């Protein structure tokens, strides 16, 4: 799907640009190893954090393309490519992707009071939407269920993973799926 390729390329370019704008931060955090300087991303208002939620709305959009490091980026790119295999119309995928991502990031800041970056909430939103909208296809539903579970469960045990963004995005996607089934 052409839209998914655009989203993938946008995430890669944003990661490269974030490294260029902030410098490379070498840390040995499990999702990072090589990534941008998070404090500089905050200062540039490119990620959502408690201090800029009301003043810098553009960060809600930018943060969907920023990633803490190479591992985080690669995990999300694989999941985004999977989304391209789902039989969802491109305009609907885009609507659910951005709505879930933004809502998930806002939820994370409000609930967890942390800085948030990445496409995980958006991805989980599309998976949640797909589980509701495509539930008649049992094999596809099982795949989406397990991918969703494998995306949410690590956040319960690993530091630095935003459950607020993941669960907020997932609930948003499920809600859009239920609403669209009731009003189509």
């Amino acid at each position: 799907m052409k839209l998914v390729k655009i989203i993938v390329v946008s995430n890669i370019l944003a990661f490269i640009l974030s490294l260029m704008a902030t410098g490379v931060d070498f840390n040995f955090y499990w999702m990072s190893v090589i990534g941008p300087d998070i404090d500089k991303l905050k200062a540039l208002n490119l990620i959502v954090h408690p201090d800029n939620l009301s003043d810098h709305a553009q960060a809600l959009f930018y943060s969907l393309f920023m990633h803490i490091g190479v591992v985080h980026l690669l995990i999300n790119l694989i999941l985004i490519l999977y989304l391209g295999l789902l039989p969802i119309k491109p305009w609907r995928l885009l609507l659910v992707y951005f709505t879930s991502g933004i809502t998930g990031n806002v939820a994370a800041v409000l609930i967890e009071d942390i800085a948030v970056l990445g496409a995980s909430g958006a991805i989980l939103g599309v998976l949640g939407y797909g589980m509701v909208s495509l539930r008649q296809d049992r094999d596809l539903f099982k795949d989406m269920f397990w991918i969703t579970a494998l995306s949410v469960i690590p956040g319960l045990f690993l530091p630095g993973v935003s459950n607020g963004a993941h669960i907020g995005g997932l609930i948003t996607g499920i809600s859009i799926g239920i609403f669209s089934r009731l009003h189509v």
Side-chain angles (χ1 to χ4, degrees), residues 2 25 43 46 73 83 89 92 96 106 126 134 146 159 163 175 177 179 182:
K2 187 176 185 177
D25 186 14
L46 294 175
L73 175 67
L83 298 180
K89 293 179 181 175
R92 193 164 293 206
V96 174
V106 169
V126 174
L134 306 169
W146 286 112
N163 288 315
S175 299
F179 181 77
L182 295 175

Side-chain angles (χ1 to χ4, degrees), residues 82-88 126-127 129-148:
Y82 174 77
L83 298 180
L85 302 175
L86 300 176
I88 300 173
V126 174
L127 289 168
Y129 171 83
M131 283 191 291
V132 171
S133 300
L134 306 169
R135 69 181 181 274
Q136 68 278 6
D137 183 335
R138 288 181 181 257
D139 290 334
L140 189 56
F141 178 86
K142 285 182 201 175
D143 288 348
M144 287 185 288
F145 175 83
W146 286 112
I147 289 170
T148 301

Side-chain angles (χ1 to χ4, degrees), residues 48 53 57 59-61 63-64 95-112 116 118-123 125 162-176:
V48 179
L53 188 58
L60 291 171
F61 177 77
S63 65
L64 298 177
L95 172 78
V96 174
Y97 186 88
F98 282 113
T99 304
S100 298
I102 290 169
T103 305
N105 284 349
V106 169
V109 170
L110 294 176
I111 294 167
E112 298 172 310
V116 184
S120 304
I123 293 164
S162 173
N163 288 315
H166 287 181
I167 294 169
L170 178 63
I171 290 170
T172 301
I174 289 170
S175 299
I176 294 170

Side-chain angles (χ1 to χ4, degrees), residues 35-117:
D37 183 313
I38 302 304
D39 291 329
K40 288 181 182 174
L41 286 178
K42 285 181 191 176
L44 293 168
N45 292 309
L46 294 175
I47 61 174
V48 179
H49 57 93
D51 299 332
N52 79 343
L53 188 58
S54 61
D55 296 335
H56 300 284
Q58 77 276 4
L60 291 171
F61 177 77
Y62 297 145
S63 65
L64 298 177
F65 298 95
M66 299 292 149
H67 289 83
I68 197 165
V70 175
V71 174
H72 186 211
L73 175 67
L74 291 175
I75 291 168
N76 279 347
L77 291 178
I78 290 167
L79 292 170
I80 292 168
L81 289 170
Y82 174 77
L83 298 180
L85 302 175
L86 300 176
I88 300 173
K89 293 179 181 175
W91 66 269
R92 193 164 293 206
L93 182 127
L94 197 60
L95 172 78
V96 174
Y97 186 88
F98 282 113
T99 304
S100 298
I102 290 169
T103 305
N105 284 349
V106 169
V109 170
L110 294 176
I111 294 167
E112 298 172 310
D113 196 35
I114 60 171
V116 184
L117 64 161

